[in-house]
Amino acid sequence: MSPKVSQEHKEKRRNEIIEAARTIFIKKGFELTTMHDVVEQSGMSRGGVYQYFSNTEDMMRAILDKGEAEFTGQKDRLYEKYTTSWAVLEAVADAHDHVTLDPIGLTIYEYFVAGLRGLNTGRVDYMKKRLETIKGFYIDVIEKGIADGEFNPVQKPEAIASYFIILADGIVLHRNLDREMADVKGLVEGLKIYLRATLNVK
């Protein structure tokens, strides 16, 4: 077997384990999921799973890292599609209205809330780093808008980026808690009203 095929095989097995973990996280929640659960769900041997992941913490981070990479990696693609920084921010905001609900959403909230309780100090550091990366995405877009003369903000880019995340996360949480909510569009519109006002969009 060539090294290329071997690497592809390893990646395939790793993704299969991640999907098995994801299935159990959705079903049982993060804290109640054990490595034994994931081994059973994956259909692999115990050693086969441990070859890739030492614990469920690593599995959850693999899921989160993949989502983060997909989000932050879309900036260039968004600028190819939209001509202004405001259009990019508006598109990201609008995505919270029509994006399909991810059933692992509440498990991710559970994971972060447990971390904030101090049950896992390493998780707190991971959360802070992840937040800074996502916030950096918004700051970059805002600063480009300022440089291009689109924005004349009344708050610092860091504060606007943080508030964007707070409002967007709140919308996602409400969507997961009340899937019949009729006014998600209104909440997204409120987010855009805040952004337009605080960025002072030209």
Side-chain angles (χ1 to χ4, degrees):
M1 183 178 290
S2 69
K4 181 179 179 181
V5 173
S6 177
Q7 186 58 39
E8 288 174 354
H9 175 73
K10 288 179 180 179
E11 191 64 26
K12 181 175 181 292
R13 298 284 280 185
R14 185 176 185 274
N15 287 334
E16 288 172 352
I17 295 168
I18 290 173
E19 285 306 308
R22 179 186 176 89
T23 298
I24 298 298
F25 288 154
I26 292 169
K27 182 178 179 181
K28 297 184 65 174
F30 177 75
E31 297 297 335
L32 293 179
T33 295
T34 66
M35 288 294 284
H36 178 71
D37 292 328
V38 179
V39 169
E40 283 198 335
Q41 179 67 31
S42 71
M44 300 180 193
S45 67
R46 187 173 185 273
V49 172
Y50 275 88
Q51 181 181 352
Y52 294 90
F53 296 100
S54 299
N55 49 52
T56 55
E57 184 86 21
D58 290 343
M59 293 175 179
M60 175 59 85
R61 292 190 187 186
I63 293 170
L64 291 169
D65 289 346
K66 181 180 178 182
E68 178 185 309
E70 289 172 352
F71 175 73
T72 58
Q74 70 176 330
K75 185 167 59 181
D76 289 342
R77 294 192 298 274
L78 285 169
Y79 273 110
E80 289 174 4
K81 184 175 181 179
Y82 302 102
T83 58
T84 66
S85 293
W86 171 248
V88 168
L89 291 177
E90 194 172 33
V92 174
D94 284 337
H96 291 81
D97 179 24
H98 58 72
V99 71
T100 301
L101 280 174
D102 189 337
I104 202 171
L106 290 180
T107 304
I108 292 173
Y109 278 106
E110 174 203 347
Y111 173 79
F112 285 138
V113 169
L116 289 172
R117 288 180 180 150
L119 299 180
N120 186 314
T121 54
R123 194 182 305 172
V124 173
D125 292 337
Y126 171 78
M127 289 163 56
K128 288 179 179 178
K129 182 179 178 182
R130 185 171 184 270
L131 177 60
E132 287 305 308
T133 299
I134 295 172
K135 187 162 68 172
F137 170 93
Y138 291 114
I139 291 172
D140 287 347
V141 175
I142 293 168
E143 289 183 341
K144 185 178 187 311
I146 294 171
D148 291 344
E150 283 185 66
F151 306 148
N152 182 24
V154 297
Q155 287 184 296
K156 292 181 179 179
E158 292 80 2
I160 299 170
S162 293
Y163 205 57
F164 191 134
I165 293 169
I166 290 168
L167 293 175
D169 281 353
I171 291 171
V172 173
L173 178 59
H174 277 285
R175 289 195 67 180
N176 277 282
L177 292 175
D178 184 358
R179 295 178 180 233
E180 301 303 318
M181 179 183 288
D183 198 30
V184 173
K185 188 177 293 293
L187 295 177
V188 171
E189 189 59 33
L191 168 58
K192 291 193 291 184
I193 289 171
Y194 160 75
L195 288 172
R196 183 178 286 278
T198 196
L199 289 169
N200 197 13
V201 180
K202 299 294 180 66

